[in-house]
């Protein structure tokens, strides 16, 4: 199970850093104002729009990746072990 934890932690760390970097560039109004969660620019260019889409993809990959490696895969392995012992 250490492999699953390491994979989940790697996804969390790498995707988290990408999300923070994109949010810093595009959704930080000012140093004293709202940071990282401010609304995106009203009229982004083509590249900024692509980066905002990438930001959303990275966010959901981070959530589902961590849940998969920390909850679903270990639960499935425990269930398989339980079913083998029962049979």
């Amino acid at each position: 199970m250490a492999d699953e934890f390491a994979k989940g932690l790697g996804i969390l760390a790498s995707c988290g850093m990408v999300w923070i970097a994109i949010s810093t560039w595009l959704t930080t109004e000012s140093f004293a104002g709202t940071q990282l969660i401010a609304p995106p620019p009203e009229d982004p260019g083509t590249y900024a729009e692509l980066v905002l889409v990438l930001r959303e993809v990275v966010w959901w990959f981070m959530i589902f990746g961590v849940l998969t490696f920390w909850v679903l895969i270990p639960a499935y392995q425990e269930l398989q072990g339980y079913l083998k012992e029962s049979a």
Side-chain angles (χ1 to χ4, degrees):
M1 290 215 200
D3 290 343
E4 283 81 15
F5 179 78
K7 291 173 188 174
L9 186 62
I11 288 172
L12 181 67
S14 60
C15 290
M17 297 229 350
V18 169
W19 186 86
I20 286 175
I22 292 171
S23 296
T24 302
W25 291 328
L26 294 175
T27 59
T28 297
E29 293 175 348
S30 68
F31 181 72
T34 306
Q35 296 183 359
L36 301 178
I37 57 171
E42 292 178 12
D43 188 24
T46 303
Y47 295 118
E49 187 67 36
L50 288 173
V51 171
L52 288 171
V53 169
L54 176 66
R55 176 181 173 228
E56 290 298 315
V57 169
V58 165
W59 173 260
W60 288 111
F61 179 73
M62 178 175 62
I63 298 297
F64 289 126
V66 167
L67 284 176
T68 299
F69 283 107
W70 287 356
V71 177
L72 297 177
I73 292 175
Y76 178 72
Q77 289 175 349
E78 289 292 322
L79 180 65
Q80 271 188 331
Y82 175 75
L83 292 175
K84 284 182 182 178
E85 289 177 6
S86 302

